[in-house]
């Protein structure tokens, strides 16, 4: 169709269509009405709402396979974006995606899934053997540690299955998600998808990224002291006197909090699954959770006394807290911002909001590939076996466009994170900043 026959709208006109009942986006300059589709979108409505009323080409390319383009025509409004432009950064990013796709990298998953499944099975069997067949206190504690370590590896599998198909079919992939998330760890894959997709789209936005919204216990920036509204949870992140107290000592309480962070994940799972929100496969998720809360308490009850039972659970939580810490290291000390994510600076926002963890290649299994956090954020559908290979390419592109590429050792990343938390803690002690009254329940009452 010639340009003289096309209908055009400006970016300002597109911005007017950014409500749940009037949701338009642009991809490659073509404008689509996804108001009704948002309710059925496999990634949930949050990513579409966060990016509504703007061009979202880079985000679309990052999260969707090439076959997704075939489904766009039915949403086409007939309008094209009059002032559609592509930055040099976006042009280079899209070329990389195209190159990786032509090389078949998004389909080549290697044998990591099979190895991981076998490893997890061995760990869980070892844990059960230690609890059921041994009488030694220390073997029981070791078994708790092994269980915690298996949860870490299971979480990586669940994460992979949520981003791309790790099994031979979509049905088997959904089974893997429910098994690794709900049945083996007690954390709903539906809850993970809900929060994780929002995190990827709005990486390190203080008011849009749920992974930075941890008041009253933690605050990575003094801007959270302004009681920002969480556009994810739909409530204010109230910085009250209790939050001031906890945040003032967060650099000291960070690791202890991480040791019991799993309790909050359990709670968030129940709050979502039994909320009024639309939850995909709600019944299947609840069934998976029931499986977990059957086998795990039964296993713990097989220990000889309450002291060992409590210590077993604490040891398992403490070991798996290494993973919670790792996820914090990837983002807490990175750049943050306030406001909704923008579609025209996708690459820039991912580079500014992530930190890689440098390690030897033989440790890749331990970190589940997520030590390459920037690479994962830029190419979330790329199997983890390729992340190390593309790291130099991403680093070179960052240098070309004068963008940050931060890769720290595990120790350095911990230091950076603690410094960030300490800075905010000292600022929280400034009593010239008023703190309104509120309740601790705000910490967990995220679903209304």
């Amino acid at each position: 169709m010639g340009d003289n026959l096309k209908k055009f709208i400006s970016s300002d006109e597109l911005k007017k269509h950014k409500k749940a009942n009037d949701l338009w986006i642009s991809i490659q300059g073509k404008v689509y009405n996804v108001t009704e589709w948002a309710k059925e979108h496999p990634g949930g409505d949050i990513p579409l709402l966060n990016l509504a009323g703007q061009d979202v080409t880079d985000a679309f390319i990052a999260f969707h396979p090439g076959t997704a383009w075939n489904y766009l025509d039915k949403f086409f409004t007939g309008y094209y974006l009059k002032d559609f432009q592509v930055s040099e950064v976006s042009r280079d990013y899209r070329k990389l995606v195209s190159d990786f796709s032509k090389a078949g990298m998004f389909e080549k998953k290697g044998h990591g899934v099979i190895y991981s499944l076998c490893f997890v099975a061995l760990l869980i069997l070892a844990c059960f053997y230690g609890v059921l067949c041994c009488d030694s206190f220390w073997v029981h504690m070791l078994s708790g540690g092994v269980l915690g370590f298996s949860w870490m590896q299971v979480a990586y599998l669940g994460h992979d299955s949520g981003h791309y198909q790790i099994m031979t079919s979509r049905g088997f992939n959904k089974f893997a998600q429910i098994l690794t998330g709900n049945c083996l760890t007690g954390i709903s894959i539906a809850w993970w998808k809900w929060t994780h997709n929002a995190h990827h789209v709005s990486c390190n936005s203080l008011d849009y990224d749920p992974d930075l919204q941890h008041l009253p216990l933690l605050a990575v920036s003094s801007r959270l002291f302004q009681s920002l509204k969480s556009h994810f949870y739909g409530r204010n992140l109230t910085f009250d006197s209790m939050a001031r107290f906890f945040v003032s000592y967060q650099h000291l309480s960070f690791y202890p909090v991480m040791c019991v962070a799993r309790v909050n994940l359990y709670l968030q799972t129940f709050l979502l699954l039994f909320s009024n929100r639309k939850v995909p496969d709600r019944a299947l998720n609840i069934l998976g959770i029931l499986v977990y809360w059957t086998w795990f308490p039964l296993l713990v009850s097989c220990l000889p006394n309450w002291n060992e039972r409590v210590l077993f659970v604490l040891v398992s939580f403490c070991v798996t807290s290494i993973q919670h810490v790792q996820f914090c290291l990837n983002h807490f000390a990175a750049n943050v911002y306030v406001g909704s994510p923008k579609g025209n600076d996708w690459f820039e926002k991912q580079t500014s909001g992530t930190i890689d963890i440098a390690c030897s290649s033989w440790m890749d299994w331990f970190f589940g590939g997520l030590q390459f956090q920037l690479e994962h954020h830029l190419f979330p559908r790329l199997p983890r076996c390729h992340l190390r290979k593309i790291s130099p390419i991403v680093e070179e592109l960052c240098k070309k466009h004068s963008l940050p590429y931060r890769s720290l050792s595990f120790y350095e990343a911990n230091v950076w994170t603690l410094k960030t938390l300490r800075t905010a803690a000292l600022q929280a002690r400034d009593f010239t900043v008023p703190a309104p009254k509120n309740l601790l329940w705000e910490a967990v009452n995220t679903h209304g």
Side-chain angles (χ1 to χ4, degrees):
M1 182 186 296
D3 285 353
N4 59 330
L5 298 178
K6 290 181 178 179
K7 296 186 295 182
F8 291 91
I9 63 171
S10 67
S11 294
D12 289 337
E13 290 173 305
L14 180 61
K15 289 177 184 176
K16 297 176 183 178
H17 302 274
K18 59 178 183 180
K19 298 178 181 178
N21 61 354
D22 181 23
L23 204 168
W24 290 17
I25 58 173
S26 164
I27 300 174
Q28 288 284 47
K30 295 180 71 173
V31 179
Y32 301 94
N33 183 345
V34 293
T35 306
E36 294 302 319
W37 172 241
K39 302 170 186 176
E40 307 297 330
H41 184 229
D45 61 345
I46 295 294
L48 289 171
L49 288 169
N50 287 353
L51 292 169
Q54 55 186 313
D55 187 81
V56 300
T57 305
D58 286 345
F60 181 83
I61 289 173
F63 288 105
H64 300 84
T67 53
W69 292 89
N70 301 328
Y71 299 93
L72 290 178
D73 282 346
K74 60 183 177 181
F75 306 118
F76 184 45
T77 62
Y79 290 103
Y80 293 82
L81 203 57
K82 186 183 347 182
D83 44 358
F84 174 67
Q85 294 179 334
V86 182
S87 69
E88 286 301 315
V89 179
S90 289
R91 203 180 305 277
D92 287 344
Y93 169 64
R94 295 173 194 182
K95 184 178 184 304
L96 275 187
V97 176
S98 177
D99 290 344
F100 295 161
S101 181
K102 289 176 182 176
M105 295 176 69
F106 292 104
E107 286 72 40
K108 296 175 182 176
K109 303 176 179 67
H111 302 291
V113 174
I114 297 298
Y115 296 152
S116 295
L117 285 171
C118 291
F119 185 43
V120 166
L122 286 174
L123 290 173
I124 293 177
L125 286 173
C127 170
F128 273 68
Y129 179 83
V131 171
L132 301 177
C133 302
C134 299
D135 297 324
S136 168
F137 168 84
W138 293 110
V139 171
H140 291 164
M141 294 305 102
L142 178 62
S143 298
V146 169
L147 179 61
F149 190 62
S150 73
W151 282 338
M152 289 176 58
Q153 297 302 313
V154 166
Y156 293 138
L157 280 171
H159 175 271
D160 290 348
S161 68
H163 275 294
Y164 55 89
Q165 191 168 298
I166 66 172
M167 308 300 281
T168 55
S169 69
R170 291 183 65 181
F172 282 124
N173 200 65
K174 181 181 289 188
F175 172 77
Q177 291 174 350
I178 297 296
L179 175 66
T180 56
N182 302 52
C183 297
L184 294 181
T185 69
I187 300 169
S188 168
I189 191 67
W191 171 84
W192 177 86
K193 286 183 177 180
W194 180 49
T195 59
H196 198 66
N197 288 337
H199 160 67
H200 266 269
V201 167
S202 53
C203 178
N204 272 35
S205 167
L206 293 174
D207 49 342
Y208 280 82
D209 184 355
D211 284 9
L212 292 186
Q213 299 174 359
H214 303 297
L215 283 175
L217 295 180
L218 299 170
V220 299
S221 169
S222 59
R223 278 179 280 185
L224 285 166
F225 303 167
Q226 301 166 14
S227 294
L228 297 175
K229 179 180 179 179
S230 167
H231 291 273
F232 180 79
Y233 292 120
R235 64 173 178 84
N236 287 338
L237 302 170
T238 305
F239 182 71
D240 55 18
S241 56
M242 184 170 289
R244 186 194 294 278
F245 172 77
F246 284 125
V247 171
S248 295
Y249 299 96
Q250 63 181 358
H251 54 302
L252 303 176
S253 63
F254 173 63
Y255 294 115
V257 166
M258 291 298 104
C259 287
V260 293
R262 201 163 194 82
V263 176
N264 183 52
L265 301 185
Y266 294 147
L267 180 58
Q268 295 302 323
T269 285
F270 278 102
L271 287 173
L272 176 64
L273 293 184
F274 295 98
S275 71
N276 293 324
R277 285 189 60 87
K278 181 180 179 181
V279 180
D281 301 309
R282 187 194 300 267
L284 198 57
N285 273 267
I286 292 175
L287 178 61
I289 295 301
L290 290 176
V291 170
Y292 174 80
W293 287 108
T294 299
W295 75 259
F296 182 54
L298 282 175
L299 177 67
V300 174
S301 70
C302 292
L303 293 165
N305 56 65
W306 276 105
N307 286 339
E308 286 199 25
R309 292 166 189 162
V310 172
L311 287 174
F312 176 89
V313 172
L314 286 176
V315 169
S316 66
F317 282 15
C318 287
V319 170
T320 198
S321 72
I322 297 172
Q323 188 176 68
H324 301 315
V325 169
Q326 176 196 341
F327 294 157
C328 294
L329 302 185
N330 289 139
H331 295 284
F332 273 23
N335 304 63
V336 298
Y337 67 100
V338 175
S340 61
K342 306 301 178 188
N344 59 359
D345 63 355
W346 173 261
F347 192 96
E348 294 92 323
K349 279 295 190 290
Q350 306 306 318
T351 60
S352 68
T354 55
I355 295 175
D356 282 5
I357 307 298
C359 70
S360 301
S361 58
W362 64 271
M363 283 292 287
D364 285 354
W365 65 274
F366 182 83
F367 293 105
L370 296 182
Q371 73 275 26
F372 296 109
Q373 190 68 192
L374 173 56
E375 291 77 3
H376 168 63
H377 266 254
L378 291 174
F379 310 98
R381 294 187 301 108
L382 194 67
R384 67 167 101 160
C385 59
H386 300 302
L387 295 177
R388 181 174 288 276
K389 301 173 189 175
I390 71 166
S391 179
I393 301 173
V394 172
E395 183 175 7
E396 191 61 34
L397 188 56
C398 288
K399 288 180 180 178
K400 176 182 177 180
H401 295 285
S402 300
L403 294 170
Y405 182 91
R406 290 162 294 208
S407 182
L408 308 175
S409 70
F410 190 76
Y411 172 77
E412 289 173 327
N414 274 272
V415 171
W416 277 41
T417 298
L418 290 177
K419 284 183 177 179
T420 298
L421 293 174
R422 184 175 183 275
T423 298
L426 296 179
Q427 292 170 333
R429 298 177 189 182
D430 181 1
F431 282 86
T432 61
V433 179
K437 295 181 179 180
N438 213 310
L439 300 174
L440 176 61
W441 175 241
E442 286 292 314
V444 295
N445 186 25
T446 58
H447 299 271

